Amino acid sequence: MVSEALKDALPQRRGIQANSEDDQLAILTELIAQTLCDRNPGFREVIERGGHQQVTRVIEEVLRGGQPLPDKVRAVMLRTDTDIHLVASALGDCLVSAPGEAPGLLIPAQLADGKSGRARLKGVLRHRAAVVGHAVAPHEAAASVRSASRLLDLASPHDGPEAGVVFVDDHLSSLLLLQDESLSRTLIARHLSPLAGLTPERCERLEATLLAWLGGMGAPEVAKALSIHPQTVRYRMRQLEKLFGARLRDPHTRFEIEMALRSRQLMAGARRRRAAATRRPRAAAKARKALPRP
């Protein structure tokens, strides 16, 4: 409900006397919408593309209900906009991306909190390639959109039974490594150059062994993780010591070598998924048409 105290503060607009509560609500809604347009050109575009009624309805509902904005919000980015409004309806309190934008939602952060919150989101978004962003203050929502969109590049390339919900909170280190691929390539070139002259097969074997060893594993643990004999691990480590020399004994350099290895692994995975997404097989297209409703 609009407070009576607002009555004297509201200006007279277009000759309308703001006597009734409905008049006050209409004027205050207009003022809020105009302020948002002035501060955000993107918001003005939404209004001009026909979103005026939806925006004013949301503002009026907030004002009438007295429901404040959530302290934290999360972006939910989707591979396609199939049934996106049904998803929004199932989740309840959320905002939907505008037409022409990357499909997604903005939800109160607590909807993804805890096991029960995650389980509910997974149920609503089943068979959809979706990423739930990290929790941020409402004015930083764009950061959650960016991180979720970036992780979506690494997630399932299509909607369908094999798709699922991924959470940015579970992949923070990967996103940090992929934040600037140019810097990652520089790191790879600097620290993995000793492997440059090897065949792809040998390079892959040594990289896997080195990454496991840098993770703190001994020969038995590395052997178990890679399904090889411990003696094979020791042989590979002797090869790596010859290639890298004293660099494997310096803690800072070891840390950067591990970052380089993980960056190369993540970038290769991202390339494979982008290639798969461009192929867009007909089977996946049929699966998208048969998505279950939330």
Side-chain angles (χ1 to χ4, degrees):
M1 180 179 294
V2 181
S3 169
E4 286 294 321
L6 289 171
K7 183 176 180 180
D8 295 332
L10 291 173
Q12 307 304 310
R13 301 290 293 256
R14 299 176 184 171
I16 299 175
Q17 184 72 23
N19 290 324
S20 70
E21 184 175 299
D22 287 341
D23 289 341
Q24 295 177 39
L25 182 63
I27 293 173
L28 185 56
T29 299
E30 183 181 348
L31 287 172
I32 293 172
Q34 184 61 52
T35 301
L36 291 171
C37 288
D38 292 342
R39 297 180 63 179
N40 188 342
F43 189 87
R44 182 182 294 277
E45 292 178 8
V46 172
I47 298 290
E48 292 174 348
R49 287 202 299 264
H52 183 269
Q53 286 188 337
Q54 181 185 11
V55 169
T56 54
R57 178 178 57 80
V58 170
I59 294 173
E60 288 182 1
E61 287 178 357
V62 171
L63 293 174
R64 285 187 185 277
Q67 184 177 354
L69 288 173
D71 293 333
K72 299 284 185 179
V73 297
R74 297 177 188 266
V76 179
M77 302 308 295
L78 308 173
R79 181 68 68 192
T80 70
D81 62 359
T82 303
D83 293 335
I84 189 170
H85 290 286
L86 292 177
V87 172
S89 177
L91 290 175
D93 189 14
C94 63
L95 295 177
V96 182
S97 56
E101 294 181 342
L105 309 162
L106 199 63
I107 65 172
Q110 65 266 24
L111 290 184
D113 287 349
K115 291 183 179 179
S116 61
R118 286 194 172 199
R120 179 174 178 244
L121 275 177
K122 289 178 179 179
V124 172
L125 297 168
R126 65 190 183 280
H127 293 183
R128 287 173 172 80
V131 174
V132 180
H134 61 303
V136 295
H139 68 276
E140 295 178 341
S144 188
V145 171
R146 284 194 300 271
S147 63
S149 298
R150 186 68 182 95
L151 187 56
L152 190 61
D153 288 341
L154 309 176
S156 301
H158 307 288
D159 289 338
E162 296 181 358
V165 183
V166 182
F167 295 84
V168 165
D169 289 347
D170 299 335
H171 299 274
L172 295 174
S173 60
S174 297
L175 287 169
L176 283 171
L177 289 174
L178 291 172
Q179 189 171 9
D180 190 323
E181 291 195 9
S182 176
L183 286 178
S184 294
R185 285 191 290 269
T186 300
L187 190 71
I188 290 167
R190 175 174 296 178
H191 290 293
L192 302 187
S193 56
L195 302 173
L198 306 180
T199 64
E201 294 78 9
R202 187 183 177 199
C203 182
E204 183 178 355
R205 291 195 296 268
L206 290 181
E207 283 188 6
T209 304
L210 181 56
L211 189 56
W213 179 79
L214 289 170
M217 296 184 182
E221 293 83 7
V222 173
K224 184 177 180 180
L226 301 181
S227 300
I228 57 178
H229 195 278
Q231 192 59 35
T232 303
V233 175
R234 296 185 183 97
Y235 172 72
R236 291 181 184 177
M237 285 309 304
R238 286 194 294 271
Q239 290 181 300
L240 288 165
E241 288 169 1
K242 289 180 181 179
L243 290 168
F244 285 89
R247 281 175 283 192
L248 293 183
R249 294 187 288 276
D250 178 69
H252 179 74
T253 304
R254 285 203 307 268
F255 173 69
E256 292 199 338
I257 289 173
E258 183 176 2
M259 288 180 64
L261 288 168
R262 294 192 182 280
S263 295
R264 178 136 81 182
Q265 190 178 69
L266 290 167
M267 290 168 66
R271 286 194 297 271
R272 288 193 297 270
R273 286 173 175 82
R274 281 195 290 266
T278 57
R279 289 195 292 270
R280 307 186 71 85
R282 294 181 63 185
K286 292 180 181 178
R288 284 198 299 276
K289 294 179 182 179
L291 289 177
R293 299 202 168 195

